[in-house]
Amino acid sequence: MNGFVRVPGEVVKGNSLGSFYWNADLINFEGPLLSLFKNDEDEDFLFVWLDCNNTKNRWCMVAVDRDQLKGYLGSVLPLRNIMADSSELIVFSVSRAGRRSAFIRTDFSHLPEEYRPEKDSFLTDDIATNAAVALREDSPQDYYLGLDGDLYIDDIQRIPQLYKQLYSFHYGLEHLKRSAVRHKLGRLMGSWGGGFSAVNIFTGLRNVIPSIHRARLQELRYNSPGHIKLNLLPRMAKSIEKSSDIIVDEVKFQEMESFYRSVYRFFDQNRISGFEKESGSISEKLTADTKEALSVFVDTFFELMDWKGFRQQFDSIESNPLRQLRVLLAYYRRLRELRSYVIKGKLDIGKSKLDRS
């Protein structure tokens, strides 16, 4: 016997549940007691510590939607209510080596009383981690992308896609102090070899952006003019606005284009593939002089984009300047594509094209 209280339910295979990615610990006392995870389908889950014996810890995973997570982080919704309202709970064990096993699908009515949170199980300030407080304080607001002019269905698809990728990048850049974000970017950039594409940097960050911080579509209206109404973190939106303003300015744009061309001349001269894929052997064979020159390019990019405050943190997650530079150039190509919509009057970042807004 494992010494755990019996939990009635259906035994399930762990691989049938998909993968889960750690996002943040919300309660910690000599180890995590409540953590936020995300799965492959971009859904948030709370992992709730239940019990332990000499060899394993027992946990319960429960899906949590955007409003529930916001309510819990804001100390207005108790954990007990979230678990009670869930259609299913997954109880499982974790070994000292981190291996999960003994998965049981159940519900709150079958969960033993000793495993149920108290009725007043709010996330109060005295038990919340710094990460939980940071998640709570980053509050989303409504935001507009104004639309106008001759747009096609491809444009209506492409504009939000570009904006989502830029938003993900800025989220990663401005949340590097969060362990999950820093580790995720480090893994993505560190494994960028053998054909790994830069697009994975943008899409991969979704695993560490909880639902309360994602850009959620509120409204889409287009009858020339119109808008896309989003609910997102205003700080990220302002960062994208600032970057857009820089390259919408013709003088600064030409400066960025000149820099971009000089980087690719350097790539050609040194037989370095410049776009979003690379062979891992290229990075390994860089000479000290080449690495130094690439580092100067990275510094220059941060200066041109006025991101100097993030330079040191960015450097800490990936020491290979070629991979760093490729990520930055991939970001710039997306920003430049968004610029074309702005200068043609088809997109107004931060404003609705409708008079009523």
Side-chain angles (χ1 to χ4, degrees):
M1 297 293 291
N2 61 18
F4 288 134
V5 175
R6 178 178 176 274
V7 176
E10 175 193 0
V11 175
V12 295
K13 294 182 179 180
N15 57 13
S16 69
L17 302 173
S19 298
F20 293 84
Y21 307 92
W22 174 73
N23 195 297
D25 294 329
L26 306 183
I27 301 176
N28 189 303
F29 182 75
E30 297 181 354
L33 299 180
L34 179 68
S35 300
L36 178 64
F37 278 73
K38 296 194 73 173
N39 69 359
D40 288 325
E41 297 179 1
D42 217 18
E43 299 168 324
D44 293 324
F45 282 78
L46 294 177
F47 279 33
V48 186
W49 182 84
L50 300 176
D51 196 0
C52 68
N53 61 21
N54 291 333
T55 60
K56 295 180 179 180
N57 283 276
R58 202 176 210 187
W59 291 79
C60 176
M61 67 172 73
V62 53
V64 57
D65 65 29
R66 182 184 177 107
D67 292 334
Q68 288 175 320
L69 182 57
K70 182 179 180 180
Y72 181 67
L73 290 171
S75 303
V76 297
L77 181 65
L79 178 60
R80 184 184 180 97
N81 288 26
I82 294 175
M83 296 178 68
D85 291 342
S86 178
S87 61
E88 68 174 30
L89 305 173
I90 303 294
V91 174
F92 62 99
S93 299
V94 181
S95 68
R96 290 177 178 175
R99 184 174 180 274
R100 298 170 188 159
S101 61
F103 294 87
I104 300 172
R105 178 180 285 114
T106 187
D107 57 40
F108 194 75
S109 66
H110 291 95
L111 195 68
E113 186 60 38
E114 53 263 54
Y115 287 168
R116 299 181 182 185
E118 299 293 332
K119 292 182 179 180
D120 62 347
S121 50
F122 296 96
L123 184 65
T124 55
D125 289 340
D126 58 322
I127 62 172
T129 62
N130 291 336
V133 173
L135 288 173
R136 174 200 303 164
E137 292 179 347
D138 266 341
S139 180
Q141 297 177 11
D142 288 344
Y143 187 83
Y144 291 94
L145 299 178
L147 303 175
D148 202 357
D150 190 17
L151 295 175
Y152 293 85
I153 192 168
D154 292 345
D155 300 318
I156 298 299
Q157 178 186 35
R158 186 57 177 162
I159 290 172
Q161 182 183 39
L162 288 169
Y163 193 86
K164 179 184 70 173
Q165 292 181 336
L166 297 177
Y167 183 89
S168 295
F169 182 86
H170 279 275
Y171 188 93
L173 191 66
E174 299 198 27
H175 286 82
L176 282 173
K177 292 182 179 179
R178 271 185 53 209
S179 298
V181 175
R182 187 169 60 254
H183 294 161
K184 184 66 177 181
L185 271 173
R187 287 194 297 270
L188 288 170
M189 292 175 66
S191 63
W192 196 356
F196 188 92
S197 173
V199 72
N200 289 59
I201 297 292
F202 304 104
T203 58
L205 278 168
R206 73 179 188 177
N207 295 139
V208 289
I209 305 179
S211 59
I212 54 171
H213 288 174
R214 291 176 63 201
R216 181 169 69 174
L217 179 65
Q218 300 286 84
E219 185 180 62
L220 175 58
R221 297 190 60 179
Y222 180 68
N223 52 355
S224 189
H227 64 226
I228 300 172
K229 182 180 178 182
L230 301 170
N231 187 255
L232 45 65
L233 295 181
R235 192 168 77 253
M236 303 303 103
K238 290 298 181 183
S239 296
I240 297 173
E241 274 189 46
K242 181 179 177 181
S243 296
S244 175
D245 289 344
I246 285 174
I247 70 163
V248 166
D249 181 280
E250 187 61 29
V251 174
K252 294 180 180 178
F253 175 64
Q254 291 304 326
E255 190 175 6
M256 285 296 303
E257 285 292 282
S258 176
F259 165 80
Y260 187 82
R261 290 191 295 270
S262 67
V263 171
Y264 278 94
R265 282 196 298 272
F266 181 85
F267 284 164
D268 288 340
Q269 293 165 2
N270 290 272
R271 297 182 179 180
I272 298 173
S273 173
F275 284 90
E276 295 185 0
K277 293 185 179 180
E278 71 167 1
S279 165
S281 61
I282 294 177
S283 295
E284 296 168 4
K285 295 178 181 178
L286 297 175
T287 66
D289 288 344
T290 301
K291 288 182 178 179
E292 183 177 356
L294 292 169
S295 294
V296 171
F297 281 131
V298 173
D299 290 336
T300 303
F301 188 93
F302 272 79
E303 291 172 2
L304 290 172
M305 296 304 299
D306 196 19
W307 293 351
K308 294 183 287 293
F310 301 109
R311 180 66 181 95
Q312 187 174 0
Q313 290 184 45
F314 187 75
D315 197 47
S316 69
I317 60 173
E318 172 54 60
S319 59
N320 186 305
L322 177 57
R323 289 173 180 160
Q324 288 184 334
L325 189 56
R326 279 204 175 97
V327 170
L328 297 175
L329 296 177
Y331 167 90
Y332 176 69
R333 283 191 289 275
R334 286 154 176 80
L335 183 64
R336 183 174 60 182
E337 188 176 348
L338 203 69
R339 174 190 187 269
S340 67
Y341 286 105
V342 175
I343 63 174
K344 292 176 183 177
K346 297 181 178 182
L347 173 66
D348 197 340
I349 299 177
K351 297 177 184 178
S352 172
K353 292 287 191 178
L354 298 177
D355 292 338
R356 67 177 182 85
S357 299

